[in-house]
Amino acid sequence: MSEIEIPESHPRYESLLTRHRIETGVEKGITSQQGLIAQGRGETFDYLLGERTLSSADEAARVGATHLLRAKRPVLSVNGNVAALVPEETVELGEAVGADIEVNLFNRTPERMEAIATHLREHGAESVKGLEADARIPGLDHERAKVDADGIHAADVVLVPLEDGDRAEALAATGKTEIVVDLNPLSRSAQSASVPIVDNIIRAIPNVTAHARELRDSSADLEAIIEAFDPKATLADAERAIREGQLEGM
Ligand code: PTJ
């Protein structure tokens, strides 16, 4: 049995576990109520993808890991859904690639900022950025633009999972390398990313970490991995998989 009293052999185990984590996130004041809607939207795409990591998404995860390893100032952005779903996994990725973690909310309130920072510390984060909010992403209104000057503002590579399209576009416009995790290949976030990973965050974050650990200990040509990547092709492959999806037995 697991944290939700459902056997891991249940065919929809991962989906039920995800829902449970999001519900708990809302109860704890970490996840916004809009986060429930976002999760429902994501689940639909995941269902159509067959709740699996496409090989194109796996390749994108490897390219994302490569960017994070090569970055001078990598930052992992965390919102209410990410904190509820993958807190420990995010901390592990930060350690694997030497990235800072910054809380960055669409629906920003001081209470949620604090609750998420505390939750991340409880899951092993040594330092959590985002509370200073002493810089702004240009082109966005006040609350949604707030970032830390020595965090996202100064970053060269940012991982932004489950991001609102407007903000993902504004961040991409600053010239940073943006790695997006989003199950919807047609979303503006996925479309504006240098590296779109069309996969469930529950699978994507541990996968990026696994690639980072493997690449870190190898003599792979990181430059060549990045050069060979085509974000449009990865989005097209995910869209094709969704449109042609085989739902038998799901
Ligand atoms: O915590 P906050 O205040 O920063 O708010 C976070 C949410 C996610 C509520 C906010 O950014 C938002 O409203 O996002 P959207 O515009 O609903 O977009 C979320 C995107 O993430 C959608 O394209 C979903 O398909 C996708 N998504 C949802 N759940 C997952 C997901 N992608 C990957 N894994 C998931 N589990």
Side-chain angles (χ1 to χ4, degrees):
M1 288 292 185
S2 70
E3 65 184 89
I4 49 169
E5 300 289 311
I6 286 178
E8 289 185 27
S9 58
H10 189 291
R12 308 205 57 76
Y13 172 76
E14 203 182 73
S15 165
L16 295 168
L17 175 68
T18 307
R19 282 186 181 189
H20 174 74
R21 288 192 182 165
I22 288 283
E23 271 177 17
T24 309
V26 174
E27 280 161 16
K28 285 184 168 175
I30 289 170
T31 309
S32 72
Q33 295 203 4
Q34 285 189 21
L36 293 167
I37 299 168
Q39 172 61 29
R41 190 137 60 122
E43 261 185 34
T44 311
F45 288 107
D46 205 14
Y47 187 85
L48 293 170
L49 281 167
E51 293 173 355
R52 73 203 148 110
T53 300
L54 298 176
S55 57
S56 55
D58 181 54
E59 190 205 341
R62 186 163 183 258
V63 175
T66 309
H67 275 291
L68 288 166
L69 285 173
R70 277 179 76 253
K72 288 196 176 64
R73 302 190 71 153
V75 174
L76 313 180
S77 180
V78 173
N79 65 19
N81 286 50
V82 176
L85 293 176
V86 283
E88 209 170 300
E89 293 83 348
T90 301
V91 173
E92 273 180 34
L93 175 57
E95 283 166 6
V97 299
D100 280 334
I101 294 178
E102 177 161 341
V103 183
N104 191 244
L105 300 183
F106 182 71
N107 303 295
R108 187 184 177 106
T109 65
E111 295 77 20
R112 282 186 64 225
M113 292 294 296
E114 271 304 331
I116 293 172
T118 304
H119 184 68
L120 290 169
R121 286 191 206 102
E122 283 167 5
H123 284 84
E126 279 176 16
S127 112
V128 178
K129 292 192 189 294
L131 301 163
E132 296 285 330
D134 48 357
R136 301 284 179 269
I137 305 169
L140 284 177
D141 62 39
H142 188 66
E143 282 304 309
R144 295 184 311 147
K146 286 182 173 175
V147 286
D148 274 16
D150 66 349
I152 289 178
H153 194 260
D156 52 349
V157 177
V158 191
L159 176 85
V160 260
L162 281 67
E163 183 57 283
D164 162 73
D166 204 24
R167 276 210 329 193
E169 279 182 351
L171 203 56
T174 63
K176 300 178 195 304
T177 297
E178 195 174 39
I179 305 162
V180 163
V181 180
D182 193 321
L183 277 158
N184 178 5
L186 299 174
S187 78
R188 281 190 296 145
S189 310
Q191 300 271 342
S192 62
S194 324
V195 184
I197 304 174
V198 184
D199 200 6
N200 196 320
I201 187 149
I202 289 234
R203 298 188 296 269
I205 297 293
N207 197 21
V208 175
T209 306
H211 280 301
R213 287 185 179 140
E214 192 213 302
L215 287 165
R216 209 177 46 187
D217 303 333
S218 80
S219 56
D221 181 347
L222 301 185
E223 208 60 56
I225 293 173
I226 287 172
E227 278 295 307
F229 182 67
D230 178 358
K232 289 213 162 37
T234 203
L235 291 171
D237 186 62
E239 188 180 339
R240 180 203 50 76
I242 287 169
R243 289 186 189 279
E244 296 172 7
Q246 297 186 355
L247 296 176
E248 215 175 306
M250 290 287 294

